Amino acid sequence: DNSLFEDRNRFVKHCVEQSSSYVHIVDSLLCASDEDAKEMHAVNLACGFEGSILRTNDVYHQKRTHALRKFKDFHDAEATIVGYLDGKGKRTGTLGKFIMQDDNGVEFGCPPGKGYTYKQLGTMLENIGDYIGQRATFTFFERTKAGSYRHPLFKCIRNYE
């Protein structure tokens, strides 16, 4: 299918309007700049959505593509590393995740974020004693109603300032 997004979207709207009262099509809005996209993203968050989707008016790809991207806000926080789990599967012999505890006593698993090689993860596991008890910076998407962190990822040891 070599049709553009706007053509496919028009076709889907037509089909859904005629056949389903359970599916709701969300309108797509054209943003002319990064600033427009940020403003629309703020509106989406204010409406209770967890983020936005950015897409180009490109031909349809039946796979992951840079023409379609999630746009979500993440936050940084700090916690103490109190334990760890070994990696599994292709990550056997490397660090799987740190067990961290925030200042309120909430413990959670926190895998290393993007950018760490298998070699670096293996070295981290070999030297795990150097990490236990250290303060670390991590990133997360949001807090759940129960107070857990959604999608936490270890960034670095807190040894700056």
Side-chain angles (χ1 to χ4, degrees):
D1 183 359
N2 288 327
S3 61
L4 297 176
F5 169 73
E6 60 189 16
D7 299 327
R8 290 189 318 279
N9 197 37
R10 201 171 13 258
F11 173 74
V12 169
K13 280 183 179 180
H14 174 75
C15 291
V16 169
E17 288 169 356
Q18 300 212 5
S19 63
S20 177
S21 59
Y22 299 103
V23 177
H24 174 71
I25 301 294
V26 177
D27 288 330
S28 295
L29 302 171
L30 180 64
C31 294
S33 67
D34 287 349
E35 201 54 43
D36 282 354
K38 289 176 184 175
E39 287 177 20
M40 288 308 310
H41 180 64
V43 169
N44 288 342
L45 295 177
C47 289
F49 296 113
E50 68 179 41
S52 304
I53 298 288
L54 300 177
R55 76 169 72 239
T56 60
N57 189 30
D58 200 355
V59 296
Y60 182 71
H61 299 277
Q62 295 182 2
K63 60 182 180 180
R64 289 184 181 257
T65 172
H66 292 290
L68 183 64
R69 299 236 174 156
K70 291 181 183 178
F71 185 3
K72 293 184 176 183
D73 291 342
F74 282 79
H75 311 280
D76 283 355
E78 295 177 3
T80 302
I81 298 172
V82 297
Y84 71 97
L85 293 175
D86 290 341
K88 297 179 181 177
K90 67 180 180 180
R91 293 211 8 215
T92 298
T94 70
L95 174 67
K97 67 173 99 175
F98 289 114
I99 306 301
M100 298 175 69
Q101 185 178 59
D102 71 11
D103 294 338
N104 296 317
V106 175
E107 282 194 14
F108 57 97
C110 192
K114 294 180 180 179
Y116 291 99
T117 65
Y118 288 123
K119 183 177 180 179
Q120 290 170 319
L121 294 173
T123 301
M124 291 167 90
L125 182 61
E126 290 171 12
N127 300 304
I128 196 65
D130 296 340
Y131 292 89
I132 304 297
Q134 294 285 324
R135 292 289 285 176
T137 301
F138 68 99
T139 187
F140 65 99
F141 172 54
E142 64 184 358
R143 299 289 298 263
T144 66
K145 290 178 183 174
S148 299
Y149 295 94
R150 191 176 309 280
H151 309 300
L153 294 172
F154 169 81
K155 289 178 76 174
C156 62
I157 293 295
R158 177 78 166 86
N159 60 2
Y160 47 89
E161 275 187 355

